[in-house]
Amino acid sequence: MKKKSRPLTTVLMLLLPALLLFWGGKGAAVLGAAMAAPDGALELLFQSELTSSPQAPNAPKSAATTVPDTTEPTEQITQSHPTAGEAPKTTESAVSKKASDITATPADIAALAAKSQAADKGKKAGNIREFNYAKSGATDTYQNVRVRNTTKTASVDIKKELEKPLDIGKKPAILIFHTHTTESYNLFERDFYTASDSVRTKDSGKNIVRIGRELAGILEAAGYRVIHDTTIHDSTYNGSYNRSRATVEKHLAENPDIQVVLDIHRDAIHNGNTRQKPVAKIEGKKAAQIMIITGVEEGGITNFPNWRGNLTFALHLQKALEDRYPQLTRAVFFCSRRYNMNLGKNNLLIEIGSDANTLDEAAYTARMLGTALAELLAGS
């Protein structure tokens, strides 16, 4: 009997890890961009010959670089969301544990995982594939700090930036918020997803707000004043950044001691019916990898005077994370975008994992982020 050949797509998927390591020239640049860019970026591998526009977080294939960052792409959201967000609050939870205990799964997340797994009867709709992005997509590297520079005019001297002191006073107030507040994760681990798996929910115990609580708790335990705004900004997806901009401006006006501003998201990396899961094993436990995003003033991106300070802060933060938790971060994504990062100083957008990671993996990462950030601020 004649042996059947494997479909081309299967062969490509099998060869992808090797191609990432060994494919040179233009192909390597395409693969690097796909692996480093956020939200749906693996699809860039198959589109890059048709369009050279870098993609923005949570942007569809058709997003163009000339669109101002006050205009957002359209995404289908099937869940219903309230028009008004929750009042800013701080919730006490397992996040106040000592740093040595941060591998422990919070009780509420463990209960959610057990309940969801017991009730699950969904049929497989696609695959979940783990991938460690620690060494993928970097255009600039110095020691353990890596940058994916997609800007047109700005160069990055990592060593020089790391030699600069941070522009942060002692015990600064920290603002944490979420432009895409309803972004959520898997509740338990498996190697496939189902059509019924939710990628967005207004339930703050299951979405990115829960991850923000973990981060806030660690920083508060370290003695920092944290404002965690849980307002839902993506009740409709278009206009999310305009609404979160108003939130940030309000808090900055009311709290002049805010010197660090963090917009916490989660990524989505899809390749056909496969969802990529950025993961690293830290102290024996799986963690969702982090991607720090920072922008530049160039071309149509204007009114961004603090971009260089943001870049310096991003590189210091990545080094603090990598020094303590090797391979936890993806390359810093340095791009021609603002995403409200021109408001205040030390203002970053941070992607924690993807929609293929579990809530527990993302929460663990948030605790590590809080630990590393607290140490960085203490030494600044």
Side-chain angles (χ1 to χ4, degrees):
M1 181 180 291
K2 186 176 179 180
K3 184 177 181 181
K4 292 183 180 180
S5 61
R6 297 188 182 213
L8 178 59
T9 53
T10 301
V11 174
L12 286 173
M13 288 305 299
L14 290 171
L15 290 176
L16 183 57
L19 288 172
L20 284 170
L21 292 173
F22 302 112
W23 197 7
K26 187 176 181 181
V30 172
L31 274 171
M35 286 307 199
D39 210 349
L42 276 181
E43 293 182 302
L44 283 172
L45 174 62
F46 306 103
Q47 303 169 52
S48 58
E49 295 303 318
L50 301 177
T51 174
S52 59
S53 300
Q55 293 222 332
N58 297 299
K61 299 178 185 180
S62 58
T65 57
T66 55
V67 177
D69 66 343
T70 53
T71 302
E72 294 181 84
T74 301
E75 176 174 296
Q76 294 297 322
I77 302 177
T78 57
Q79 292 85 358
S80 61
H81 305 292
T83 55
E86 303 171 43
K89 61 185 178 182
T90 301
T91 305
E92 184 178 355
S93 71
V95 298
S96 59
K97 291 174 176 289
K98 294 180 180 178
S100 60
D101 298 325
I102 64 173
T103 59
T105 301
D108 63 319
I109 292 179
L112 281 172
K115 181 178 179 180
S116 179
Q117 188 167 12
D120 180 62
K121 292 181 174 60
K123 294 183 179 179
K124 178 178 177 179
N127 300 310
I128 290 176
R129 176 177 176 266
E130 292 186 0
F131 193 89
N132 186 312
Y133 289 85
K135 296 183 179 179
S136 298
T139 58
D140 301 88
T141 302
Y142 174 72
Q143 295 178 351
N144 57 358
V145 179
R146 305 166 311 283
V147 176
R148 169 66 180 169
N149 184 356
T150 64
T151 70
K152 296 178 180 178
T153 62
S155 60
V156 182
D157 186 332
I158 299 175
K159 182 176 183 294
K160 183 177 179 181
E161 295 297 332
L162 291 176
E163 289 171 349
K164 294 179 182 179
L166 292 176
D167 183 17
I168 302 177
K170 296 296 181 183
K171 293 295 179 183
I174 301 163
L175 173 62
I176 298 170
F177 70 104
H178 313 280
T179 294
H180 296 145
T181 323
T182 65
E183 291 176 329
S184 61
Y185 299 85
N186 289 328
L187 294 180
F188 64 95
E189 185 175 15
R190 60 185 173 193
D191 61 2
F192 66 93
Y193 65 91
T194 72
S196 61
D197 287 349
S198 174
V199 297
R200 290 181 180 273
T201 177
K202 64 182 180 181
D203 186 339
S204 63
K206 299 177 181 178
N207 64 23
I208 196 68
V209 170
R210 183 65 183 84
I211 305 310
R213 282 168 50 193
E214 294 293 308
L215 173 59
I218 291 292
L219 292 168
E220 288 171 339
Y224 293 94
R225 188 168 82 88
V226 179
I227 300 164
H228 180 204
D229 192 293
T230 63
T231 302
I232 293 179
H233 298 108
D234 57 345
S235 53
T236 56
Y237 192 77
N238 283 355
S240 299
Y241 280 94
N242 291 335
R243 288 186 287 275
S244 66
R245 183 180 188 86
T247 292
V248 175
E249 289 175 333
K250 171 181 176 291
H251 286 298
L252 290 176
E254 295 174 353
N255 302 275
D257 56 336
I258 292 175
Q259 297 187 57
V260 175
V261 180
L262 303 176
D263 188 1
I264 306 297
H265 292 242
R266 67 112 175 95
D267 205 350
I269 314 170
H270 297 173
N271 179 21
N273 71 340
T274 297
R275 295 180 180 178
Q276 300 290 128
K277 176 179 176 176
V279 67
K281 187 166 281 190
I282 310 293
E283 297 183 13
K285 181 182 176 76
K286 287 183 182 179
Q289 286 182 301
I290 290 175
M291 181 166 65
I292 301 168
I293 299 175
T294 191
V296 69
E297 182 175 276
E298 65 177 10
I301 306 301
T302 59
N303 188 28
F304 200 169
N306 59 314
W307 72 265
R308 178 66 71 177
N310 288 351
L311 175 62
T312 302
F313 180 48
L315 300 182
H316 276 270
L317 179 56
Q318 191 191 53
K319 181 165 177 54
L321 284 161
E322 286 294 316
D323 283 350
R324 203 180 216 292
Y325 309 110
Q327 299 198 353
L328 181 59
T329 68
R330 299 159 63 182
V332 170
F333 188 50
F334 184 38
C335 56
S336 299
R337 300 283 176 173
R338 283 192 321 186
Y339 300 119
N340 295 331
M341 291 184 288
N342 63 325
L343 303 176
K345 59 182 183 178
N346 303 306
N347 189 330
L348 301 173
L349 190 155
I350 298 179
E351 304 263 16
I352 298 182
S354 77
D355 56 357
N357 286 98
T358 66
L359 187 66
D360 185 33
E361 291 164 350
Y364 178 36
T365 294
R367 295 191 293 275
M368 288 187 280
L369 172 60
T371 301
L373 177 57
E375 291 177 350
L376 176 64
L377 296 177
S380 64

